Amino acid sequence: RGFDRECADKIGANMEGHGVKFRKGVTPSKLEKVDGDRIKVTFSDGTSDEYDTVLGAIGRSADTQKLKLDGLGVKTNPKNGKIIAKHEQSSSPNIYACGDVMEGCPELTPVAIQAGVLLMRRLFGASNEAMDYVNICTTVFTPIEYACVGLSEDDAIAERGDKDIEVYHREFLPLEWSLSLGRADHNAFAKVIVDKTDDSVLGIHYLGPNAGEVMQGYGVSMKKGLKFQDLIGTVGIHPTSSEEIVTLSVTKSSGEDAAAGGC
């Protein structure tokens, strides 16, 4: 949720290829102890299975109820308690919210820190710089790591329209994976989303080794208004996985095969 759909599907396929089983379209409706310490889980479709361990990872809600924000004129999202704000300013002009408690803010510690710093500079300094909540580098440390900055493909199409979006993509085998039989069966992936009207890069997505290390530098370029021609005009470091991002040439609209060989 919130990430590029194509990349999420590729992560799922990679994990399934390594033996992880996903139960899709159902939620747990009942948990009960059986055979000692084992746990029987009954799902919403009536099926059940037994497990050694069950981990609940159901997300978070903002603990704002006791603050009685309604009496202060502060609007919140009734589903999660998060404060609705623009540039960290709530519907009550003298009350601000930063970080996870703010509706629509990525739940990342560095984001909260940066937003707080910029807010203080605007309130008590001479700055007018607002927080950029779009061009934030994010990494998910799944078995095949995923990193991104900017818009997902779906969000870019929803915001700019399908006819104005071009997607450059490529599957490739990282050099370090080619040395492992267990890794060589799965490819890494790079994708860049471009607005055709002005050549601006709207999003960069990468699946592969050291994803966070690969993506961090591209975040600076995105904040400076990266153009696709700037990207592919950059000489890559060979042999690295990051060079795949600056050598993309196959577009989705062309229908050409996006698979590439190794080093």
Side-chain angles (χ1 to χ4, degrees):
R1 183 179 299 175
F3 293 105
D4 187 83
R5 184 72 260 166
E6 181 181 21
C7 291
D9 289 342
K10 288 181 178 294
I11 293 170
N14 177 274
M15 293 175 69
E16 287 178 327
H18 285 88
V20 177
K21 297 179 181 179
F22 290 96
R23 299 290 297 264
K24 299 178 181 179
V26 296
T27 55
S29 58
K30 183 180 181 182
L31 282 73
E32 53 188 325
K33 283 286 188 71
V34 293
D35 299 331
D37 290 332
R38 288 181 64 79
I39 302 172
K40 179 182 178 181
V41 179
T42 302
F43 296 96
S44 54
D45 63 352
T47 61
S48 63
D49 208 341
E50 294 183 10
Y51 304 92
D52 295 320
T53 303
V54 175
L55 172 66
I58 56 175
R60 290 171 288 178
S61 295
D63 189 14
T64 57
Q65 187 175 3
K66 294 179 182 179
L67 296 176
K68 299 181 179 179
L69 296 174
D70 289 344
L72 300 173
V74 177
K75 295 180 179 179
T76 60
N77 183 336
K79 293 183 178 180
N80 56 25
K82 292 191 174 187
I83 296 172
I84 299 171
K86 181 178 182 180
H87 300 313
E88 295 79 46
Q89 187 176 42
S90 74
S91 51
S92 181
N94 62 328
I95 297 178
Y96 295 81
C98 284
D100 296 4
V101 76
M102 190 181 90
E103 177 70 11
C105 176
E107 295 179 347
L108 301 166
T109 299
V111 174
I113 293 172
Q114 181 77 345
V117 169
L118 293 177
L119 175 59
M120 291 305 103
R121 289 175 180 171
R122 295 198 306 275
L123 291 177
F124 303 109
S127 175
N128 59 4
E129 181 182 359
M131 178 65 187
D132 179 1
Y133 286 103
V134 176
N135 293 312
I136 297 171
C137 293
T138 304
T139 299
V140 183
F141 295 98
T142 36
I144 177 173
E145 293 182 18
Y146 168 54
C148 62
V149 60
L151 298 176
S152 68
E153 184 177 346
D154 288 341
D155 286 345
I157 291 173
E159 184 177 300
R160 306 292 177 100
D162 185 54
K163 65 181 181 64
D164 290 332
I165 297 298
E166 187 62 272
V167 177
Y168 295 82
H169 61 161
R170 189 178 193 185
E171 291 188 0
F172 62 96
L173 181 64
L175 178 61
E176 61 199 82
W177 287 6
S178 67
L179 304 176
S180 169
L181 293 178
R183 286 287 197 180
D185 291 337
H186 298 275
N187 281 337
F189 179 69
K191 174 164 76 171
V192 172
I193 302 157
V194 179
D195 186 331
K196 292 189 292 186
T197 64
D198 61 4
D199 198 47
S200 60
V201 175
L202 302 178
I204 302 176
H205 301 264
Y206 168 89
L207 287 171
N210 309 306
E213 309 296 343
V214 168
M215 191 58 61
Q216 183 69 83
Y218 290 108
V220 179
S221 299
M222 288 289 285
K223 287 184 68 65
K224 302 302 289 186
L226 179 64
K227 302 292 186 180
F228 184 68
Q229 289 303 313
D230 295 329
L231 192 67
I232 62 173
T234 301
V235 177
I237 302 172
H238 186 74
T240 65
S241 294
S242 187
E243 70 174 318
E244 299 294 340
I245 295 175
V246 299
T247 56
L248 291 171
S249 60
V250 177
T251 64
K252 275 193 175 182
S253 62
S254 71
E256 295 180 23
D257 187 5
C263 174

